[in-house]
């Protein structure tokens, strides 16, 4: 889910960096929106590096107006979080003043809004601020400490910004679907594999792991018990997911077959190497002037082996991926059949906004009797779409037994 994090000019602005990290760990994509005074406390470069997105600092930045950015972003986000929120921004929100990007975004979005106020105690207790908070609460805005309890019990907070983890937890709770996968066990693979040539070099591929990690994070949020077998990536383990890190296709095959017997579904999102060096060298191969031959041999097809091992049993449900260049449908249907899969997620990795090293993806979800095309969307959203399908497959199976 794409979450906008508004950062305003309070001393707690530095804690907003931790809020971004926490939201990312739970599988969300974050875009930071900073007010002018926030930038006096923390540099926008910090947020840019950590969100891996341009930080929005002004309504009038060149490039921000081609599609009226606050309107475009307003419809893209699933949640607006403001942490820390100063008395000033709370006053603007309450009174419909839209004199900068963040306050305009608040008016333009239909997404839920979560505010973590932070200010001096006297300011917080001032009747003007209390009235503004009351107004926002009556419109359905949610608060993190000390706002959450103020309607029922009067204002008792001191004004310190809540701890980042509390903000993250409250945000996640607002967007998390209910535990639709409670009691289910899922095995998910992600990332590339590295096939060693010698102790220094390897054969790899451009998979970032983001698609598989997004599926694992979403499945955990829905209550599933998740084992994530991950090839080498730079990503943190999603919250609530048991991660097993592997390097080569052979190691991934071993890890997958160990867990496969006890799970309800397997989602094979890893980009497993198809070939591996026949004989990796123990020592670094010295450079010579002559061309070098490298003999590669086939790796085990993990998914096909899992399909064979399952035989005619209905579980585990098997979901594969097919990354192709060009229209992927015909080859994906062939793989669906050959590997005995229940569902295959096929994409054209040569398409802009799809495939490796991007935050977005577009795909065809193909099952033996159905084919659905998804639009270009965030990988976190495609993860939710894939899991919706998987839930239906699991439900159909439960109905049969
Ligand atoms: O045949 P192809 O590699 O395109 O099939 C893609 C699907 O098969 C993916 O789900 C991938 O994770 C899986 N795969 C595998 N073992 C391999 C190669 C691919 O499980 N050696």
């Amino acid at each position: 889910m794409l979450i906008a994090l508004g950062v305003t000019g309070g001393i707690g602005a530095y804690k907003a960096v931790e809020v971004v990290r926490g939201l990312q760990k739970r599988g969300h994509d974050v875009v930071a929106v900073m007010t002018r005074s926030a930038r006096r406390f923390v540099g926008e470069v910090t947020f840019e590096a950590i969100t891996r997105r341009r930080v929005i600092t002004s309504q009038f930045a060149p490039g921000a107006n081609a599609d009226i950015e606050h309107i475009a972003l307003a419809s893209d986000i699933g949640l607006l979080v403001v942490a820390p929120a100063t008395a000033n921004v709370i006053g603007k929100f309450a009174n419909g003043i839209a004199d900068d990007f963040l306050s305009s975004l608040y008016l333009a979005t239909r997404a839920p809004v979560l505010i973590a106020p932070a200010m001096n105690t006297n300011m917080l207790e001032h009747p003007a601020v209390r009235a503004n908070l009351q107004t926002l609460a009556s419109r359905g805005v949610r608060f993190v400490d000390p706002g959450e309890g103020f309607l029922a019990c009067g204002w008792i907070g001191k004004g310190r910004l809540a701890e980042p983890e509390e903000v993250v937890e409250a945000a996640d709770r607002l967007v998390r679907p209910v535990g639709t996968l409670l009691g289910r066990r899922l095995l998910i693979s992600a990332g590339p594999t590295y096939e060693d040539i010698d102790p220094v070099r390897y054969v790899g591929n451009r998979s970032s792991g983001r698609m598989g990690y997004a599926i694992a994070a979403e499945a955990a949020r829905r209550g599933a018990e998740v084992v994530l077998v991950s090839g080498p990536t730079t990503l943190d383990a999603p919250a609530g997911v048991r991660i097993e890190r592997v390097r080569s296709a052979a190691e991934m095959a071993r890890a997958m077959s160990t867990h496969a017997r006890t799970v309800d579904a397997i989602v094979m999102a890893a980009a497993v190497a198809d070939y591996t060096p026949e004989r990796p060298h123990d020592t670094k191969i010295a450079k010579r002037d002559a061309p070098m031959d490298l003999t590669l041999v086939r790796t085990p097809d993990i998914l096909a082996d899992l399909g064979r091992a399952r035989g005619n049993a209905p579980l585990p449900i098997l979901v594969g991926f097919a990354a192709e260049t060009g229209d992927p449908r015909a080859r994906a249907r062939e793989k669906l059949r050959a590997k005995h899969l229940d569902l295959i997620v096929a994409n054209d990795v040569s398409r802009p906004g799809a495939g490796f090293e991007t935050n977005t993806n577009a795909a065809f979800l193909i099952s033996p009797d159905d084919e659905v095309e998804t639009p270009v969307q965030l990988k976190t959203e495609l993860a939710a779409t894939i899991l919706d399908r998987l839930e239906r497959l699991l439900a159909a199976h439960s109905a049969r037994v």
Side-chain angles (χ1 to χ4, degrees), residues 189 268-274 299-303 320-322 324 335 339:
S189 71
M268 193 74 201
V272 186
D274 293 317
T299 53
D301 190 316
I302 303 172
L303 194 52
F321 277 69
E324 311 285 350
K335 286 173 191 173
K339 302 192 190 200

Side-chain angles (χ1 to χ4, degrees), residues 56 76 195 198 216 237 372:
I56 302 172
D76 285 349
E195 310 300 321
D198 66 19
V372 182

Side-chain angles (χ1 to χ4, degrees), residues 359-375:
N359 280 326
T360 54
N361 214 348
F364 294 95
L365 304 191
I366 303 173
S367 64
D369 42 33
D370 193 25
E371 181 181 303
V372 182
E373 184 172 7
T374 69

Side-chain angles (χ1 to χ4, degrees), residues 13-56:
Y14 72 96
K15 289 192 188 171
V17 175
E18 281 303 308
V19 174
V20 175
R21 301 281 295 148
L23 291 171
Q24 287 172 329
K25 280 195 97 172
R26 290 170 190 245
H28 304 296
D29 205 1
V30 183
V31 53
V33 180
M34 298 180 79
T35 61
R36 198 154 51 98
S37 51
R39 288 157 67 202
R40 303 182 77 122
F41 288 92
V42 204
E44 63 194 86
V45 178
T46 308
F47 285 100
E48 185 176 297
I50 223 140
T51 59
R52 299 196 194 171
R53 283 174 172 271
R54 191 170 63 78
V55 173
I56 302 172

Side-chain angles (χ1 to χ4, degrees), residues 189-191 193 249 252-253 256 267-275 298-306 319-324 331-332 335 339 341 343-345:
S189 71
T193 65
M252 185 171 278
M256 294 300 288
V267 182
M268 193 74 201
V272 186
D274 293 317
Y275 297 93
R298 278 297 309 268
T299 53
D301 190 316
I302 303 172
L303 194 52
D305 289 347
L306 292 168
V319 181
F321 277 69
E324 311 285 350
R331 299 206 55 179
K335 286 173 191 173
K339 302 192 190 200
L341 308 181
L343 181 68
I344 193 154
V345 182

Side-chain angles (χ1 to χ4, degrees), residues 219-231:
R221 258 200 311 279
R222 293 182 183 203
E225 203 182 302
V226 182
V227 176
L228 174 64
V229 175
S230 171

